[in-house]
Amino acid sequence: MTAQLRLVSAVRPKLLKPAEVRPAVSRHRKANAEYRTREHLMASEFELLFDRAKKNRHGHRDSTMLLVTLRHGFRVSELIDLRWDQIDFATATMHVHRLKNGTPATHPIQGDELRALRRLQREQNPKSAFVFTSERGGPFTRFAVNRMIERLRTAAEVEIKAHPHMLRHTCGFVLANRGHDTRGIQGYFGHRNIQHTVKYTELAPDRFKDFWR
């Protein structure tokens, strides 16, 4: 055995301690239940937001935005893309274009909502093809709507962490509470899969109203 090999064999390998394993940091958003106990607003909470929106600098636009979102179950992307040519003032109807491969529908427009939209169109300056526009005349962004809801929530002292999509869920629960059948709500929301609609009827309080009679 050469001197070099004897020298190598004489050196005992040093056992290295395994590096400290640090838990991986998850970058995924937590489940909604981690932030809120429910995904819809109570009637009293919506009224607080709605009344506070009227006090904004552009109070009529902002309160109308909340009303239209609630009445038609809009997603934020559907709301900011709403255009005047989707609204027929003569017949008080609205053509609702659903995203996420949803089915379109024609919704009736209630009297208070119709009056609010007429005024908004009349006062809109500068004029635009979009119903809801910023001070610069461009369409709203998702970020702007989210920020507005958060400011309203804080100003109105609504405890639940409200966000724009909660208005869509609130619409579903209101319709279910009024006794509308699941198929009808499915068509109103543009759901292709009825499983997305069932969650509203499952939580309707009237579902068990006769259980103790």
Side-chain angles (χ1 to χ4, degrees), residues 13-29:
K14 183 178 179 181
L15 298 177
L16 300 178
K17 295 182 179 181
E20 180 182 356
V21 179
R22 297 182 180 180
V25 178
S26 176
R27 297 184 180 275
H28 295 291
R29 185 182 182 278

Side-chain angles (χ1 to χ4, degrees), residues 5 21 111 152 186 188:
L5 290 177
V21 179
L152 290 176
Q186 178 188 12
Y188 196 81

